[in-house]
PDB file of all heavy atoms in Angstrom:
ATOM      1  N   GLY A   1     113.234 153.822 120.656  1.00  0.00           N
ATOM      2  CA  GLY A   1     111.768 154.212 120.567  1.00  0.00           C
ATOM      3  C   GLY A   1     111.515 155.622 120.663  1.00  0.00           C
ATOM      4  O   GLY A   1     112.464 156.509 120.637  1.00  0.00           O
ATOM      5  N   SER A   2     110.313 156.062 120.629  1.00  0.00           N
ATOM      6  CA  SER A   2     109.886 157.478 120.597  1.00  0.00           C
ATOM      7  C   SER A   2     108.839 157.755 121.636  1.00  0.00           C
ATOM      8  O   SER A   2     108.019 156.930 122.055  1.00  0.00           O
ATOM      9  CB  SER A   2     109.276 157.691 119.191  1.00  0.00           C
ATOM     10  OG  SER A   2     110.224 157.515 118.120  1.00  0.00           O
ATOM     11  N   LEU A   3     108.819 159.035 121.980  1.00  0.00           N
ATOM     12  CA  LEU A   3     107.754 159.636 122.854  1.00  0.00           C
ATOM     13  C   LEU A   3     107.553 161.059 122.384  1.00  0.00           C
ATOM     14  O   LEU A   3     108.361 161.636 121.777  1.00  0.00           O
ATOM     15  CB  LEU A   3     108.225 159.634 124.317  1.00  0.00           C
ATOM     16  CG  LEU A   3     108.181 158.370 125.109  1.00  0.00           C
ATOM     17  CD1 LEU A   3     108.762 158.597 126.527  1.00  0.00           C
ATOM     18  CD2 LEU A   3     106.774 157.752 125.260  1.00  0.00           C
ATOM     19  N   ARG A   4     106.358 161.523 122.602  1.00  0.00           N
ATOM     20  CA  ARG A   4     105.984 162.909 122.425  1.00  0.00           C
ATOM     21  C   ARG A   4     105.532 163.508 123.604  1.00  0.00           C
ATOM     22  O   ARG A   4     104.437 163.054 124.143  1.00  0.00           O
ATOM     23  CB  ARG A   4     104.980 163.133 121.248  1.00  0.00           C
ATOM     24  CG  ARG A   4     104.820 164.540 120.893  1.00  0.00           C
ATOM     25  CD  ARG A   4     103.775 164.776 119.703  1.00  0.00           C
ATOM     26  NE  ARG A   4     102.443 164.592 120.180  1.00  0.00           N
ATOM     27  CZ  ARG A   4     101.399 165.155 119.421  1.00  0.00           C
ATOM     28  NH1 ARG A   4     101.635 165.744 118.246  1.00  0.00           N
ATOM     29  NH2 ARG A   4     100.224 164.976 119.887  1.00  0.00           N
ATOM     30  N   LEU A   5     106.236 164.563 124.141  1.00  0.00           N
ATOM     31  CA  LEU A   5     105.779 165.314 125.286  1.00  0.00           C
ATOM     32  C   LEU A   5     104.949 166.511 124.860  1.00  0.00           C
ATOM     33  O   LEU A   5     105.331 167.160 123.845  1.00  0.00           O
ATOM     34  CB  LEU A   5     107.013 165.770 126.120  1.00  0.00           C
ATOM     35  CG  LEU A   5     108.119 164.703 126.538  1.00  0.00           C
ATOM     36  CD1 LEU A   5     109.111 165.383 127.416  1.00  0.00           C
ATOM     37  CD2 LEU A   5     107.439 163.502 127.324  1.00  0.00           C
ATOM     38  N   SER A   6     104.024 166.838 125.723  1.00  0.00           N
ATOM     39  CA  SER A   6     103.189 167.974 125.467  1.00  0.00           C
ATOM     40  C   SER A   6     103.149 168.893 126.630  1.00  0.00           C
ATOM     41  O   SER A   6     103.264 168.489 127.808  1.00  0.00           O
ATOM     42  CB  SER A   6     101.728 167.552 125.188  1.00  0.00           C
ATOM     43  OG  SER A   6     101.654 166.770 124.071  1.00  0.00           O
ATOM     44  N   CYS A   7     103.060 170.230 126.456  1.00  0.00           N
ATOM     45  CA  CYS A   7     103.005 171.177 127.472  1.00  0.00           C
ATOM     46  C   CYS A   7     101.954 172.197 127.049  1.00  0.00           C
ATOM     47  O   CYS A   7     102.194 173.012 126.113  1.00  0.00           O
ATOM     48  CB  CYS A   7     104.385 171.883 127.717  1.00  0.00           C
ATOM     49  SG  CYS A   7     104.391 173.207 129.012  1.00  0.00           S
ATOM     50  N   VAL A   8     100.878 172.322 127.728  1.00  0.00           N
ATOM     51  CA  VAL A   8      99.876 173.383 127.529  1.00  0.00           C
ATOM     52  C   VAL A   8     100.196 174.547 128.359  1.00  0.00           C
ATOM     53  O   VAL A   8     100.326 174.503 129.595  1.00  0.00           O
ATOM     54  CB  VAL A   8      98.399 172.777 127.799  1.00  0.00           C
ATOM     55  CG1 VAL A   8      97.414 173.876 127.546  1.00  0.00           C
ATOM     56  CG2 VAL A   8      98.120 171.520 127.073  1.00  0.00           C
ATOM     57  N   VAL A   9     100.290 175.711 127.704  1.00  0.00           N
ATOM     58  CA  VAL A   9     100.750 176.948 128.314  1.00  0.00           C
ATOM     59  C   VAL A   9      99.674 177.916 128.368  1.00  0.00           C
ATOM     60  O   VAL A   9      98.906 178.123 127.471  1.00  0.00           O
ATOM     61  CB  VAL A   9     101.992 177.517 127.602  1.00  0.00           C
ATOM     62  CG1 VAL A   9     102.550 178.735 128.278  1.00  0.00           C
ATOM     63  CG2 VAL A   9     103.039 176.430 127.463  1.00  0.00           C
ATOM     64  N   SER A  10      99.521 178.680 129.488  1.00  0.00           N
ATOM     65  CA  SER A  10      98.619 179.853 129.540  1.00  0.00           C
ATOM     66  C   SER A  10      98.808 180.710 128.324  1.00  0.00           C
ATOM     67  O   SER A  10      99.910 181.077 127.910  1.00  0.00           O
ATOM     68  CB  SER A  10      98.876 180.536 130.831  1.00  0.00           C
ATOM     69  OG  SER A  10      98.077 181.742 130.913  1.00  0.00           O
ATOM     70  N   GLY A  11      97.774 181.158 127.754  1.00  0.00           N
ATOM     71  CA  GLY A  11      97.760 181.880 126.533  1.00  0.00           C
ATOM     72  C   GLY A  11      98.643 183.137 126.501  1.00  0.00           C
ATOM     73  O   GLY A  11      99.347 183.368 125.540  1.00  0.00           O
ATOM     74  N   SER A  12      98.531 183.840 127.581  1.00  0.00           N
ATOM     75  CA  SER A  12      99.340 185.083 127.686  1.00  0.00           C
ATOM     76  C   SER A  12     100.805 184.732 127.632  1.00  0.00           C
ATOM     77  O   SER A  12     101.573 185.563 127.126  1.00  0.00           O
ATOM     78  CB  SER A  12      98.870 185.969 128.909  1.00  0.00           C
ATOM     79  OG  SER A  12      99.102 185.183 130.106  1.00  0.00           O
ATOM     80  N   LEU A  13     101.239 183.792 128.399  1.00  0.00           N
ATOM     81  CA  LEU A  13     102.597 183.352 128.343  1.00  0.00           C
ATOM     82  C   LEU A  13     103.034 182.782 127.051  1.00  0.00           C
ATOM     83  O   LEU A  13     104.101 183.101 126.533  1.00  0.00           O
ATOM     84  CB  LEU A  13     102.793 182.277 129.474  1.00  0.00           C
ATOM     85  CG  LEU A  13     102.676 182.792 130.953  1.00  0.00           C
ATOM     86  CD1 LEU A  13     102.874 181.631 131.881  1.00  0.00           C
ATOM     87  CD2 LEU A  13     103.685 183.916 131.230  1.00  0.00           C
ATOM     88  N   PHE A  14     102.284 181.976 126.417  1.00  0.00           N
ATOM     89  CA  PHE A  14     102.516 181.298 125.239  1.00  0.00           C
ATOM     90  C   PHE A  14     102.763 182.265 124.028  1.00  0.00           C
ATOM     91  O   PHE A  14     103.717 182.085 123.291  1.00  0.00           O
ATOM     92  CB  PHE A  14     101.510 180.298 124.777  1.00  0.00           C
ATOM     93  CG  PHE A  14     101.847 179.444 123.679  1.00  0.00           C
ATOM     94  CD1 PHE A  14     102.515 178.199 123.826  1.00  0.00           C
ATOM     95  CD2 PHE A  14     101.406 179.710 122.391  1.00  0.00           C
ATOM     96  CE1 PHE A  14     102.826 177.412 122.747  1.00  0.00           C
ATOM     97  CE2 PHE A  14     101.743 178.918 121.235  1.00  0.00           C
ATOM     98  CZ  PHE A  14     102.382 177.769 121.445  1.00  0.00           C
ATOM     99  N   SER A  15     101.953 183.304 123.922  1.00  0.00           N
ATOM    100  CA  SER A  15     102.027 184.150 122.784  1.00  0.00           C
ATOM    101  C   SER A  15     103.123 185.126 122.883  1.00  0.00           C
ATOM    102  O   SER A  15     103.546 185.790 121.853  1.00  0.00           O
ATOM    103  CB  SER A  15     100.665 185.001 122.669  1.00  0.00           C
ATOM    104  OG  SER A  15     100.429 185.715 123.815  1.00  0.00           O
ATOM    105  N   SER A  16     103.691 185.410 124.026  1.00  0.00           N
ATOM    106  CA  SER A  16     104.701 186.420 124.232  1.00  0.00           C
ATOM    107  C   SER A  16     106.079 186.062 124.616  1.00  0.00           C
ATOM    108  O   SER A  16     106.994 186.872 124.695  1.00  0.00           O
ATOM    109  CB  SER A  16     104.128 187.453 125.251  1.00  0.00           C
ATOM    110  OG  SER A  16     102.888 187.965 124.997  1.00  0.00           O
ATOM    111  N   ASN A  17     106.316 184.772 124.765  1.00  0.00           N
ATOM    112  CA  ASN A  17     107.586 184.304 125.332  1.00  0.00           C
ATOM    113  C   ASN A  17     108.006 182.968 124.585  1.00  0.00           C
ATOM    114  O   ASN A  17     107.240 182.274 124.053  1.00  0.00           O
ATOM    115  CB  ASN A  17     107.483 183.982 126.848  1.00  0.00           C
ATOM    116  CG  ASN A  17     107.119 185.236 127.563  1.00  0.00           C
ATOM    117  OD1 ASN A  17     107.916 186.145 127.944  1.00  0.00           O
ATOM    118  ND2 ASN A  17     105.787 185.430 127.941  1.00  0.00           N
ATOM    119  N   SER A  18     109.294 182.782 124.658  1.00  0.00           N
ATOM    120  CA  SER A  18     109.852 181.467 124.215  1.00  0.00           C
ATOM    121  C   SER A  18     109.445 180.462 125.245  1.00  0.00           C
ATOM    122  O   SER A  18     109.277 180.648 126.446  1.00  0.00           O
ATOM    123  CB  SER A  18     111.353 181.531 124.228  1.00  0.00           C
ATOM    124  OG  SER A  18     111.809 182.474 123.284  1.00  0.00           O
ATOM    125  N   VAL A  19     109.341 179.196 124.790  1.00  0.00           N
ATOM    126  CA  VAL A  19     109.012 178.051 125.603  1.00  0.00           C
ATOM    127  C   VAL A  19     110.219 177.000 125.426  1.00  0.00           C
ATOM    128  O   VAL A  19     110.718 176.775 124.260  1.00  0.00           O
ATOM    129  CB  VAL A  19     107.723 177.428 125.165  1.00  0.00           C
ATOM    130  CG1 VAL A  19     107.412 176.199 126.127  1.00  0.00           C
ATOM    131  CG2 VAL A  19     106.584 178.351 125.304  1.00  0.00           C
ATOM    132  N   SER A  20     110.656 176.503 126.474  1.00  0.00           N
ATOM    133  CA  SER A  20     111.752 175.531 126.478  1.00  0.00           C
ATOM    134  C   SER A  20     111.505 174.281 127.159  1.00  0.00           C
ATOM    135  O   SER A  20     110.563 174.161 128.053  1.00  0.00           O
ATOM    136  CB  SER A  20     112.990 176.180 127.282  1.00  0.00           C
ATOM    137  OG  SER A  20     113.364 177.407 126.687  1.00  0.00           O
ATOM    138  N   TRP A  21     112.251 173.210 126.820  1.00  0.00           N
ATOM    139  CA  TRP A  21     112.228 171.868 127.516  1.00  0.00           C
ATOM    140  C   TRP A  21     113.580 171.785 128.174  1.00  0.00           C
ATOM    141  O   TRP A  21     114.600 171.962 127.587  1.00  0.00           O
ATOM    142  CB  TRP A  21     112.006 170.711 126.626  1.00  0.00           C
ATOM    143  CG  TRP A  21     110.586 170.651 126.115  1.00  0.00           C
ATOM    144  CD1 TRP A  21     109.963 171.018 124.959  1.00  0.00           C
ATOM    145  CD2 TRP A  21     109.460 170.052 126.836  1.00  0.00           C
ATOM    146  NE1 TRP A  21     108.704 170.813 124.899  1.00  0.00           N
ATOM    147  CE2 TRP A  21     108.304 170.151 126.040  1.00  0.00           C
ATOM    148  CE3 TRP A  21     109.348 169.424 128.082  1.00  0.00           C
ATOM    149  CZ2 TRP A  21     107.070 169.636 126.440  1.00  0.00           C
ATOM    150  CZ3 TRP A  21     108.073 168.890 128.516  1.00  0.00           C
ATOM    151  CH2 TRP A  21     106.983 169.053 127.662  1.00  0.00           C
ATOM    152  N   TYR A  22     113.502 171.424 129.467  1.00  0.00           N
ATOM    153  CA  TYR A  22     114.632 171.095 130.280  1.00  0.00           C
ATOM    154  C   TYR A  22     114.590 169.636 130.754  1.00  0.00           C
ATOM    155  O   TYR A  22     113.497 169.012 130.742  1.00  0.00           O
ATOM    156  CB  TYR A  22     114.819 171.965 131.484  1.00  0.00           C
ATOM    157  CG  TYR A  22     115.334 173.397 131.205  1.00  0.00           C
ATOM    158  CD1 TYR A  22     114.527 174.366 130.548  1.00  0.00           C
ATOM    159  CD2 TYR A  22     116.577 173.772 131.604  1.00  0.00           C
ATOM    160  CE1 TYR A  22     114.970 175.602 130.255  1.00  0.00           C
ATOM    161  CE2 TYR A  22     117.098 175.111 131.330  1.00  0.00           C
ATOM    162  CZ  TYR A  22     116.165 175.974 130.707  1.00  0.00           C
ATOM    163  OH  TYR A  22     116.678 177.239 130.467  1.00  0.00           O
ATOM    164  N   ARG A  23     115.728 169.032 131.221  1.00  0.00           N
ATOM    165  CA  ARG A  23     115.680 167.783 131.872  1.00  0.00           C
ATOM    166  C   ARG A  23     116.627 167.763 133.015  1.00  0.00           C
ATOM    167  O   ARG A  23     117.555 168.519 133.058  1.00  0.00           O
ATOM    168  CB  ARG A  23     115.916 166.637 130.879  1.00  0.00           C
ATOM    169  CG  ARG A  23     117.301 166.561 130.389  1.00  0.00           C
ATOM    170  CD  ARG A  23     117.464 165.478 129.279  1.00  0.00           C
ATOM    171  NE  ARG A  23     118.846 165.137 128.949  1.00  0.00           N
ATOM    172  CZ  ARG A  23     119.258 164.417 127.897  1.00  0.00           C
ATOM    173  NH1 ARG A  23     118.292 163.781 127.133  1.00  0.00           N
ATOM    174  NH2 ARG A  23     120.505 164.239 127.644  1.00  0.00           N
ATOM    175  N   GLN A  24     116.325 166.821 133.958  1.00  0.00           N
ATOM    176  CA  GLN A  24     117.174 166.751 135.180  1.00  0.00           C
ATOM    177  C   GLN A  24     117.171 165.321 135.694  1.00  0.00           C
ATOM    178  O   GLN A  24     116.145 164.636 135.738  1.00  0.00           O
ATOM    179  CB  GLN A  24     116.664 167.724 136.198  1.00  0.00           C
ATOM    180  CG  GLN A  24     117.511 167.798 137.494  1.00  0.00           C
ATOM    181  CD  GLN A  24     117.033 168.898 138.324  1.00  0.00           C
ATOM    182  OE1 GLN A  24     115.914 169.282 138.409  1.00  0.00           O
ATOM    183  NE2 GLN A  24     118.022 169.468 139.167  1.00  0.00           N
ATOM    184  N   VAL A  25     118.292 164.820 136.115  1.00  0.00           N
ATOM    185  CA  VAL A  25     118.542 163.614 136.784  1.00  0.00           C
ATOM    186  C   VAL A  25     118.990 163.869 138.180  1.00  0.00           C
ATOM    187  O   VAL A  25     119.574 164.911 138.512  1.00  0.00           O
ATOM    188  CB  VAL A  25     119.473 162.715 136.004  1.00  0.00           C
ATOM    189  CG1 VAL A  25     118.980 162.414 134.596  1.00  0.00           C
ATOM    190  CG2 VAL A  25     120.866 163.253 136.052  1.00  0.00           C
ATOM    191  N   PRO A  26     118.723 162.937 139.113  1.00  0.00           N
ATOM    192  CA  PRO A  26     119.114 163.211 140.526  1.00  0.00           C
ATOM    193  C   PRO A  26     120.593 163.492 140.667  1.00  0.00           C
ATOM    194  O   PRO A  26     121.450 162.857 140.066  1.00  0.00           O
ATOM    195  CB  PRO A  26     118.713 161.900 141.225  1.00  0.00           C
ATOM    196  CG  PRO A  26     117.620 161.314 140.370  1.00  0.00           C
ATOM    197  CD  PRO A  26     117.920 161.696 138.955  1.00  0.00           C
ATOM    198  N   GLY A  27     120.946 164.560 141.407  1.00  0.00           N
ATOM    199  CA  GLY A  27     122.216 164.927 141.715  1.00  0.00           C
ATOM    200  C   GLY A  27     122.949 165.726 140.603  1.00  0.00           C
ATOM    201  O   GLY A  27     124.022 166.141 140.737  1.00  0.00           O
ATOM    202  N   LYS A  28     122.163 166.070 139.518  1.00  0.00           N
ATOM    203  CA  LYS A  28     122.622 166.788 138.435  1.00  0.00           C
ATOM    204  C   LYS A  28     121.912 168.145 138.202  1.00  0.00           C
ATOM    205  O   LYS A  28     120.789 168.211 138.628  1.00  0.00           O
ATOM    206  CB  LYS A  28     122.723 166.070 137.133  1.00  0.00           C
ATOM    207  CG  LYS A  28     123.503 164.752 137.148  1.00  0.00           C
ATOM    208  CD  LYS A  28     124.942 164.967 137.267  1.00  0.00           C
ATOM    209  CE  LYS A  28     125.793 163.722 137.292  1.00  0.00           C
ATOM    210  NZ  LYS A  28     127.210 163.934 137.309  1.00  0.00           N
ATOM    211  N   GLU A  29     122.586 169.128 137.562  1.00  0.00           N
ATOM    212  CA  GLU A  29     121.829 170.324 137.299  1.00  0.00           C
ATOM    213  C   GLU A  29     120.814 170.139 136.262  1.00  0.00           C
ATOM    214  O   GLU A  29     120.985 169.278 135.359  1.00  0.00           O
ATOM    215  CB  GLU A  29     122.883 171.433 136.869  1.00  0.00           C
ATOM    216  CG  GLU A  29     123.888 171.797 137.902  1.00  0.00           C
ATOM    217  CD  GLU A  29     124.724 172.990 137.500  1.00  0.00           C
ATOM    218  OE1 GLU A  29     124.691 173.280 136.294  1.00  0.00           O
ATOM    219  OE2 GLU A  29     125.456 173.608 138.261  1.00  0.00           O
ATOM    220  N   ARG A  30     119.772 170.948 136.294  1.00  0.00           N
ATOM    221  CA  ARG A  30     118.795 170.875 135.197  1.00  0.00           C
ATOM    222  C   ARG A  30     119.424 171.509 133.947  1.00  0.00           C
ATOM    223  O   ARG A  30     120.108 172.533 133.935  1.00  0.00           O
ATOM    224  CB  ARG A  30     117.514 171.788 135.612  1.00  0.00           C
ATOM    225  CG  ARG A  30     116.354 171.556 134.728  1.00  0.00           C
ATOM    226  CD  ARG A  30     115.073 172.241 135.402  1.00  0.00           C
ATOM    227  NE  ARG A  30     114.745 171.523 136.625  1.00  0.00           N
ATOM    228  CZ  ARG A  30     113.685 171.824 137.396  1.00  0.00           C
ATOM    229  NH1 ARG A  30     112.857 172.818 136.945  1.00  0.00           N
ATOM    230  NH2 ARG A  30     113.415 171.155 138.538  1.00  0.00           N
ATOM    231  N   GLU A  31     119.249 170.843 132.829  1.00  0.00           N
ATOM    232  CA  GLU A  31     119.892 171.303 131.563  1.00  0.00           C
ATOM    233  C   GLU A  31     118.814 171.473 130.495  1.00  0.00           C
ATOM    234  O   GLU A  31     117.856 170.740 130.408  1.00  0.00           O
ATOM    235  CB  GLU A  31     120.937 170.358 131.164  1.00  0.00           C
ATOM    236  CG  GLU A  31     120.365 168.890 130.807  1.00  0.00           C
ATOM    237  CD  GLU A  31     121.474 167.901 130.415  1.00  0.00           C
ATOM    238  OE1 GLU A  31     122.659 168.220 130.291  1.00  0.00           O
ATOM    239  OE2 GLU A  31     121.188 166.750 130.348  1.00  0.00           O
ATOM    240  N   VAL A  32     119.125 172.574 129.686  1.00  0.00           N
ATOM    241  CA  VAL A  32     118.214 172.808 128.529  1.00  0.00           C
ATOM    242  C   VAL A  32     118.240 171.720 127.488  1.00  0.00           C
ATOM    243  O   VAL A  32     119.412 171.332 127.225  1.00  0.00           O
ATOM    244  CB  VAL A  32     118.445 174.228 128.058  1.00  0.00           C
ATOM    245  CG1 VAL A  32     119.797 174.300 127.334  1.00  0.00           C
ATOM    246  CG2 VAL A  32     117.352 174.656 127.144  1.00  0.00           C
ATOM    247  N   VAL A  33     117.142 171.322 126.953  1.00  0.00           N
ATOM    248  CA  VAL A  33     117.098 170.339 125.824  1.00  0.00           C
ATOM    249  C   VAL A  33     116.763 171.050 124.538  1.00  0.00           C
ATOM    250  O   VAL A  33     117.419 170.781 123.489  1.00  0.00           O
ATOM    251  CB  VAL A  33     116.059 169.245 126.180  1.00  0.00           C
ATOM    252  CG1 VAL A  33     115.851 168.357 125.051  1.00  0.00           C
ATOM    253  CG2 VAL A  33     116.441 168.551 127.470  1.00  0.00           C
ATOM    254  N   ALA A  34     115.767 171.964 124.534  1.00  0.00           N
ATOM    255  CA  ALA A  34     115.297 172.495 123.281  1.00  0.00           C
ATOM    256  C   ALA A  34     114.598 173.843 123.702  1.00  0.00           C
ATOM    257  O   ALA A  34     114.009 173.943 124.691  1.00  0.00           O
ATOM    258  CB  ALA A  34     114.425 171.577 122.467  1.00  0.00           C
ATOM    259  N   VAL A  35     114.613 174.809 122.687  1.00  0.00           N
ATOM    260  CA  VAL A  35     113.962 176.063 122.903  1.00  0.00           C
ATOM    261  C   VAL A  35     113.162 176.398 121.666  1.00  0.00           C
ATOM    262  O   VAL A  35     113.696 176.267 120.470  1.00  0.00           O
ATOM    263  CB  VAL A  35     115.013 177.153 123.131  1.00  0.00           C
ATOM    264  CG1 VAL A  35     114.289 178.479 123.373  1.00  0.00           C
ATOM    265  CG2 VAL A  35     115.871 176.883 124.361  1.00  0.00           C
ATOM    266  N   SER A  36     111.935 176.879 121.843  1.00  0.00           N
ATOM    267  CA  SER A  36     111.165 177.430 120.676  1.00  0.00           C
ATOM    268  C   SER A  36     110.792 178.878 120.991  1.00  0.00           C
ATOM    269  O   SER A  36     110.136 179.181 121.997  1.00  0.00           O
ATOM    270  CB  SER A  36     109.852 176.609 120.548  1.00  0.00           C
ATOM    271  OG  SER A  36     109.036 177.143 119.533  1.00  0.00           O
ATOM    272  N   ASP A  37     111.201 179.771 120.173  1.00  0.00           N
ATOM    273  CA  ASP A  37     111.014 181.190 120.362  1.00  0.00           C
ATOM    274  C   ASP A  37     109.573 181.619 119.844  1.00  0.00           C
ATOM    275  O   ASP A  37     108.832 180.786 119.345  1.00  0.00           O
ATOM    276  CB  ASP A  37     112.060 182.067 119.729  1.00  0.00           C
ATOM    277  CG  ASP A  37     112.073 182.066 118.259  1.00  0.00           C
ATOM    278  OD1 ASP A  37     111.098 181.717 117.606  1.00  0.00           O
ATOM    279  OD2 ASP A  37     113.123 182.512 117.620  1.00  0.00           O
ATOM    280  N   VAL A  38     109.238 182.845 120.007  1.00  0.00           N
ATOM    281  CA  VAL A  38     107.842 183.274 119.708  1.00  0.00           C
ATOM    282  C   VAL A  38     107.477 183.007 118.265  1.00  0.00           C
ATOM    283  O   VAL A  38     106.370 182.684 117.910  1.00  0.00           O
ATOM    284  CB  VAL A  38     107.694 184.800 120.062  1.00  0.00           C
ATOM    285  CG1 VAL A  38     106.380 185.309 119.662  1.00  0.00           C
ATOM    286  CG2 VAL A  38     107.926 184.940 121.608  1.00  0.00           C
ATOM    287  N   GLY A  39     108.500 183.200 117.379  1.00  0.00           N
ATOM    288  CA  GLY A  39     108.212 183.012 115.940  1.00  0.00           C
ATOM    289  C   GLY A  39     108.334 181.474 115.500  1.00  0.00           C
ATOM    290  O   GLY A  39     108.114 181.246 114.336  1.00  0.00           O
ATOM    291  N   GLY A  40     108.630 180.581 116.391  1.00  0.00           N
ATOM    292  CA  GLY A  40     108.677 179.278 116.085  1.00  0.00           C
ATOM    293  C   GLY A  40     110.098 178.679 115.797  1.00  0.00           C
ATOM    294  O   GLY A  40     110.210 177.467 115.539  1.00  0.00           O
ATOM    295  N   ALA A  41     111.090 179.589 115.757  1.00  0.00           N
ATOM    296  CA  ALA A  41     112.413 179.047 115.471  1.00  0.00           C
ATOM    297  C   ALA A  41     112.869 178.231 116.718  1.00  0.00           C
ATOM    298  O   ALA A  41     112.548 178.471 117.812  1.00  0.00           O
ATOM    299  CB  ALA A  41     113.373 180.261 115.303  1.00  0.00           C
ATOM    300  N   ALA A  42     113.640 177.246 116.368  1.00  0.00           N
ATOM    301  CA  ALA A  42     114.018 176.268 117.378  1.00  0.00           C
ATOM    302  C   ALA A  42     115.541 176.125 117.537  1.00  0.00           C
ATOM    303  O   ALA A  42     116.330 176.376 116.599  1.00  0.00           O
ATOM    304  CB  ALA A  42     113.534 174.832 117.021  1.00  0.00           C
ATOM    305  N   ASP A  43     115.952 175.786 118.708  1.00  0.00           N
ATOM    306  CA  ASP A  43     117.394 175.524 119.067  1.00  0.00           C
ATOM    307  C   ASP A  43     117.402 174.361 119.881  1.00  0.00           C
ATOM    308  O   ASP A  43     116.526 174.039 120.744  1.00  0.00           O
ATOM    309  CB  ASP A  43     117.987 176.751 119.719  1.00  0.00           C
ATOM    310  CG  ASP A  43     119.515 176.761 119.626  1.00  0.00           C
ATOM    311  OD1 ASP A  43     120.073 175.913 118.875  1.00  0.00           O
ATOM    312  OD2 ASP A  43     120.189 177.573 120.266  1.00  0.00           O
ATOM    313  N   TYR A  44     118.551 173.573 119.825  1.00  0.00           N
ATOM    314  CA  TYR A  44     118.692 172.289 120.433  1.00  0.00           C
ATOM    315  C   TYR A  44     120.028 172.179 121.134  1.00  0.00           C
ATOM    316  O   TYR A  44     120.973 172.613 120.616  1.00  0.00           O
ATOM    317  CB  TYR A  44     118.498 171.110 119.510  1.00  0.00           C
ATOM    318  CG  TYR A  44     117.174 171.195 118.809  1.00  0.00           C
ATOM    319  CD1 TYR A  44     116.959 171.728 117.543  1.00  0.00           C
ATOM    320  CD2 TYR A  44     116.027 170.514 119.371  1.00  0.00           C
ATOM    321  CE1 TYR A  44     115.721 171.723 116.917  1.00  0.00           C
ATOM    322  CE2 TYR A  44     114.782 170.525 118.703  1.00  0.00           C
ATOM    323  CZ  TYR A  44     114.629 171.151 117.510  1.00  0.00           C
ATOM    324  OH  TYR A  44     113.417 171.176 116.864  1.00  0.00           O
ATOM    325  N   ALA A  45     120.059 171.344 122.158  1.00  0.00           N
ATOM    326  CA  ALA A  45     121.266 170.927 122.767  1.00  0.00           C
ATOM    327  C   ALA A  45     121.916 169.952 121.891  1.00  0.00           C
ATOM    328  O   ALA A  45     121.288 169.177 121.125  1.00  0.00           O
ATOM    329  CB  ALA A  45     121.010 170.379 124.192  1.00  0.00           C
ATOM    330  N   ASP A  46     123.303 169.904 121.868  1.00  0.00           N
ATOM    331  CA  ASP A  46     124.011 169.020 120.950  1.00  0.00           C
ATOM    332  C   ASP A  46     123.534 167.579 121.130  1.00  0.00           C
ATOM    333  O   ASP A  46     123.564 166.819 120.168  1.00  0.00           O
ATOM    334  CB  ASP A  46     125.439 169.206 121.214  1.00  0.00           C
ATOM    335  CG  ASP A  46     125.981 170.495 120.598  1.00  0.00           C
ATOM    336  OD1 ASP A  46     125.378 171.087 119.787  1.00  0.00           O
ATOM    337  OD2 ASP A  46     127.182 170.868 120.991  1.00  0.00           O
ATOM    338  N   PHE A  47     123.284 167.130 122.369  1.00  0.00           N
ATOM    339  CA  PHE A  47     123.005 165.764 122.595  1.00  0.00           C
ATOM    340  C   PHE A  47     121.706 165.274 122.118  1.00  0.00           C
ATOM    341  O   PHE A  47     121.418 164.009 122.191  1.00  0.00           O
ATOM    342  CB  PHE A  47     123.190 165.442 124.103  1.00  0.00           C
ATOM    343  CG  PHE A  47     122.437 166.252 124.972  1.00  0.00           C
ATOM    344  CD1 PHE A  47     121.127 166.054 125.354  1.00  0.00           C
ATOM    345  CD2 PHE A  47     123.073 167.354 125.688  1.00  0.00           C
ATOM    346  CE1 PHE A  47     120.362 166.853 126.159  1.00  0.00           C
ATOM    347  CE2 PHE A  47     122.351 168.139 126.539  1.00  0.00           C
ATOM    348  CZ  PHE A  47     121.027 167.847 126.781  1.00  0.00           C
TER     349      PHE A  47
END
């Protein structure tokens, strides 16, 4: 199935910085899932 997550960011932060999604399960380190830079370019974890 599918889900869409949303994150509303303060304007000053949103316009000047990359925004990332991380995930974490109990007992494990938080890991990066995806990154969107200021220009909109995206990068993803292999999984």
